[in-house]
Amino acid sequence: MEGWGEAGMETGQLLAAAERHVLFTTKRPEVVMERGEGLYLQDTEGKSYLDFVGGWAVVCLGHSPDVIKRALEEQAGTLVNASPAFYNKPMIAFAKLLTDISTFDKVFFASSGAEANEGAIKLARKHGSRNLGGAYEIITTRNGFHGRTLATMSATGKEQWEHLYEPKVPGFIQVPYNDIEAAKQAVHANTCAIMLELIQGEGGVHLAEMDYVTELRKLCDEKGILLIIDEIQTGLGRTGKMFAYEHYGIEADIMTLGKGIGGGFPLSAVLTKAKYDLFEAGDQGGTYSGQPLAMAVGQAVVSEIIRKNLAANAAEQGNYILARLREIREKYGIQRIAGKGLLLAFDLAQPIGRELVNACMEEGLLINSPNPYTIRLIPPLIVTREQIDTMFRILCKVMDQHIHID
């Protein structure tokens, strides 16, 4: 197409083309991102942004890391896709790596977090069909988030979605988070699983309580139902440990991974115990499941997280961010500080989250506001103390302009 070359269309023309050709799903800023390196993004005007969103916890190794570039180049020259009807070497190697570092035995690969959660839902219902007399209902939690397909939206406890895309997929019962009695009362003969995030990321960074998780595990054992842990956002070092379930001393029956597993490449996974290897031929699949190119990237990303001990860096830098937030808490009227590792949030006294996000972006800092009162910080796992100090310098400058405490 004429005008789309390296020195082609200007930003205004690109934005006009986007308006004409890209289906609207969200209101985006009037910028076009062009490059990324480490913790920085750069737009077509040459402006740089310190990225404390990280693609919603996706770019765990930062932008354009060498390990992904090398993996793509090497695997693309060997085998891109052989179809999921065959094993391939990167698939086998990556599955072994994930089971070696976790408490699980088997892996199914997919391309998105929602697809992985759909796989977990199917596997739980297969368990219900085979072992629980046809039970198919799954208990989920309010304020949770499991994806944007019809089934995962039905599982999600997002109030804004309650009447969206009706009729919803049946078979999901939502109960309050951290309420073990509500969970117990919701379990009945038709229940096959309980599904939750140990940290509700999209919901504003709310942590599951230790006793709650311990009791959920006991409840599932007593009733013979599955415990599904959605670690799409928390997995692979994000919370200061390789997996969030390690903070709780429990083992799940099914775990889902996404976001950081590919470092920006579309990839996700469902992990389970050998005794829940229940699918029969044709029950589950996907055109890109176990695709060699994705497998090579995933193995490279996870191996780098392990090699650089980035879970420990997440814990260290996350604690530093928490300490800095506590220092400014009184000055800016911060109501709540929460999170683990590099999945953190704080609540404002006024509903000006979007206003702060926009003002920070003007100053070259990217942060996230999952609701009007909450600011979420989810930088790449490679973040340094110096970059955190830069983030706070910009954030405090903006809050000085927008927050006034009597």
Side-chain angles (χ1 to χ4, degrees), residues 239-251:
T239 67
K241 291 186 181 291
M242 189 58 70
F243 304 105
Y245 69 75
E246 296 177 64
H247 293 287
Y248 294 88
I250 59 107
E251 294 185 12

Side-chain angles (χ1 to χ4, degrees), residues 73-375:
E73 185 176 73
E74 291 171 10
Q75 190 59 45
T78 305
L79 179 65
V80 172
N81 200 354
S83 103
F86 302 102
Y87 290 119
N88 62 73
K89 289 173 68 176
M91 173 205 292
I92 297 166
F94 191 32
K96 182 180 185 304
L97 175 59
L98 290 177
T99 56
D100 283 349
I101 64 173
S102 71
T103 59
F104 300 93
D105 307 307
K106 302 273 186 164
V107 186
F108 171 80
F109 292 107
S111 301
S112 69
E115 192 181 355
N117 281 336
E118 288 256 358
I121 290 165
K122 291 177 184 176
L123 188 54
R125 288 188 171 182
K126 188 73 177 183
H127 167 65
S129 174
R130 179 177 292 189
N131 301 320
L132 299 174
Y136 67 91
E137 289 185 345
I138 297 174
I139 297 168
T140 62
T141 62
R142 292 176 194 160
N143 207 42
F145 186 90
H146 300 294
R148 295 179 182 274
T149 63
L150 276 177
T152 54
M153 286 181 75
S154 301
T156 289
K158 197 169 184 177
E159 189 176 345
Q160 305 95 298
W161 287 358
E162 186 176 350
H163 302 292
L164 187 63
Y165 305 133
E166 294 290 322
K168 291 289 197 303
V169 176
F172 298 96
I173 298 174
Q174 290 171 6
V175 298
Y177 197 56
N178 279 324
D179 188 336
I180 189 61
E181 291 306 316
K184 288 178 178 179
Q185 291 172 17
V187 174
H188 56 87
N190 213 25
T191 305
C192 67
I194 296 174
M195 181 178 189
L196 81 158
E197 303 162 280
L198 295 173
I199 302 178
Q200 293 183 329
E202 186 68 18
V205 185
H206 299 278
L207 278 67
E209 296 168 358
M210 181 70 73
D211 289 347
Y212 173 66
V213 176
T214 301
E215 289 300 313
L216 282 180
R217 178 67 274 178
K218 289 180 183 177
L219 177 62
C220 289
D221 290 339
E222 290 169 3
K223 301 297 184 179
I225 61 179
L226 302 187
L227 180 61
I228 305 169
I229 299 298
D230 176 343
E231 294 229 26
I232 301 297
Q233 189 162 147
T234 58
L236 299 166
R238 174 59 53 183
T239 67
K241 291 186 181 291
M242 189 58 70
F243 304 105
Y245 69 75
E246 296 177 64
H247 293 287
Y248 294 88
I250 59 107
E251 294 185 12
D253 302 304
I254 302 173
M255 175 177 69
T256 55
L257 297 173
K259 294 192 182 290
I261 192 174
F265 194 96
L267 179 59
S268 63
V270 183
L271 288 80
T272 192
K273 305 284 190 177
K275 64 180 176 179
Y276 300 118
D277 188 356
L278 302 175
F279 288 135
E280 299 171 57
D283 281 359
Q284 174 68 331
T287 301
Y288 297 108
S289 178
Q291 182 219 39
L293 199 62
M295 299 295 94
V297 171
Q299 186 176 11
V301 169
V302 175
S303 296
E304 188 76 349
I305 292 171
I306 296 167
R307 187 181 72 82
K308 289 190 172 181
N309 199 11
L310 292 181
N313 190 62
E316 178 184 347
Q317 305 304 340
N319 285 336
Y320 181 60
I321 293 173
L322 290 172
R324 291 291 309 271
L325 286 172
R326 293 185 190 108
E327 289 174 2
I328 63 173
R329 183 173 200 157
E330 186 175 352
K331 179 179 180 180
Y332 299 110
I334 292 172
Q335 305 295 296
R336 178 187 68 106
I337 298 170
K340 283 184 180 294
L342 291 173
L343 176 51
L344 303 171
F346 62 93
D347 288 348
L348 305 161
Q350 297 101 19
I352 58 170
R354 175 50 52 188
E355 189 178 335
L356 291 187
V357 167
N358 293 339
C360 281
M361 188 170 183
E362 286 293 319
E363 296 290 336
L365 170 66
L366 304 181
I367 57 175
N368 171 244
S369 178
N371 65 65
Y373 285 93
T374 302
I375 297 296

Side-chain angles (χ1 to χ4, degrees), residues 6-134:
E6 186 72 23
M9 302 178 78
E10 295 180 353
T11 300
Q13 294 173 297
L14 288 166
L15 291 170
E19 182 74 20
R20 287 194 302 271
H21 303 299
V22 178
L23 185 68
F24 177 84
T25 56
T26 188
K27 187 175 181 180
R28 295 181 170 98
E30 294 288 295
V31 299
V32 179
M33 295 303 181
E34 185 172 35
R35 300 181 186 278
E37 182 177 354
L39 255 78
Y40 284 88
L41 280 170
Q42 187 179 89
D43 65 22
T44 49
E45 298 293 306
K47 181 176 179 178
S48 291
Y49 305 85
L50 179 60
D51 188 0
F52 268 65
V53 177
W56 287 281
V58 168
V59 289
C60 59
L61 302 180
H63 295 282
S64 304
D66 288 339
V67 291
I68 291 182
K69 288 186 281 188
R70 287 196 301 269
L72 285 169
E73 185 176 73
E74 291 171 10
Q75 190 59 45
T78 305
L79 179 65
V80 172
N81 200 354
S83 103
F86 302 102
Y87 290 119
N88 62 73
K89 289 173 68 176
M91 173 205 292
I92 297 166
F94 191 32
K96 182 180 185 304
L97 175 59
L98 290 177
T99 56
D100 283 349
I101 64 173
S102 71
T103 59
F104 300 93
D105 307 307
K106 302 273 186 164
V107 186
F108 171 80
F109 292 107
S111 301
S112 69
E115 192 181 355
N117 281 336
E118 288 256 358
I121 290 165
K122 291 177 184 176
L123 188 54
R125 288 188 171 182
K126 188 73 177 183
H127 167 65
S129 174
R130 179 177 292 189
N131 301 320
L132 299 174

